[in-house]
Amino acid sequence: MMRDGYVVAWQGREYDASPDGDNVRIYRAEPADGFDEVRPGRYVRVLTPQEYDELIYVRTTCTWRGAPFIVLAEANSWLRVEYAGGRAPVARQLGLEEFDFGVYQGWAPLHEVADLNEQRI
């Protein structure tokens, strides 16, 4: 599983999370006690800092065509990647799209990607 975002450890399990001031919202795909349905297949619960064990940021990184990338998403056998090398000429040479000023992204075939690694920040 490719992850890029906040995660909270609560009651022995990790949940996707969003900081909300001093609190944090956690999410799950199925109903459970204390979770409210915000749309079909999406349930949320708000926790106070005293209720959860830790809030961390998780990021998946990889190497593609010899360059460093952050993995943003996965679709079928493709990864949405963002160039992390900081060199615009290299990003252009790799055929990446300039998503924002100095931010280059593209789709990489999963079979071409190496060094997939989850970093906990």
Side-chain angles (χ1 to χ4, degrees), residues 29-101:
E30 60 281 332
D33 287 339
F35 284 80
D36 297 319
E37 186 174 24
V38 290
R39 68 173 190 263
R42 182 77 158 170
Y43 298 84
V44 65
R45 179 179 181 143
V46 178
L47 301 177
T48 65
Q50 297 78 21
E51 292 179 282
Y52 59 87
D53 299 321
E54 70 176 331
L55 172 66
I56 58 170
Y57 196 88
V58 174
R59 172 170 280 166
T60 303
T61 59
C62 70
T63 303
W64 180 50
R65 297 182 179 171
F69 286 86
I70 297 166
V71 178
L72 303 175
E74 180 179 15
N76 300 320
S77 58
W78 292 82
L79 298 179
R80 181 69 177 174
V81 293
E82 182 173 298
Y83 177 60
R87 299 184 62 214
V90 172
R92 284 190 217 98
Q93 184 180 29
L94 290 167
L96 301 171
E97 168 193 351
E98 190 169 12
F99 181 77
D100 199 356
F101 182 76

Side-chain angles (χ1 to χ4, degrees), residues 18-41:
S18 296
D20 185 10
D22 289 337
N23 298 328
V24 65
R25 293 184 309 270
I26 61 173
Y27 303 94
R28 58 183 293 144
E30 60 281 332
D33 287 339
F35 284 80
D36 297 319
E37 186 174 24
V38 290
R39 68 173 190 263

Side-chain angles (χ1 to χ4, degrees), residues 3-7 55-59 119-121:
R3 300 195 295 180
D4 183 46
Y6 286 99
V7 174
L55 172 66
I56 58 170
Y57 196 88
V58 174
R59 172 170 280 166
Q119 297 178 351
R120 300 169 79 81
I121 302 169

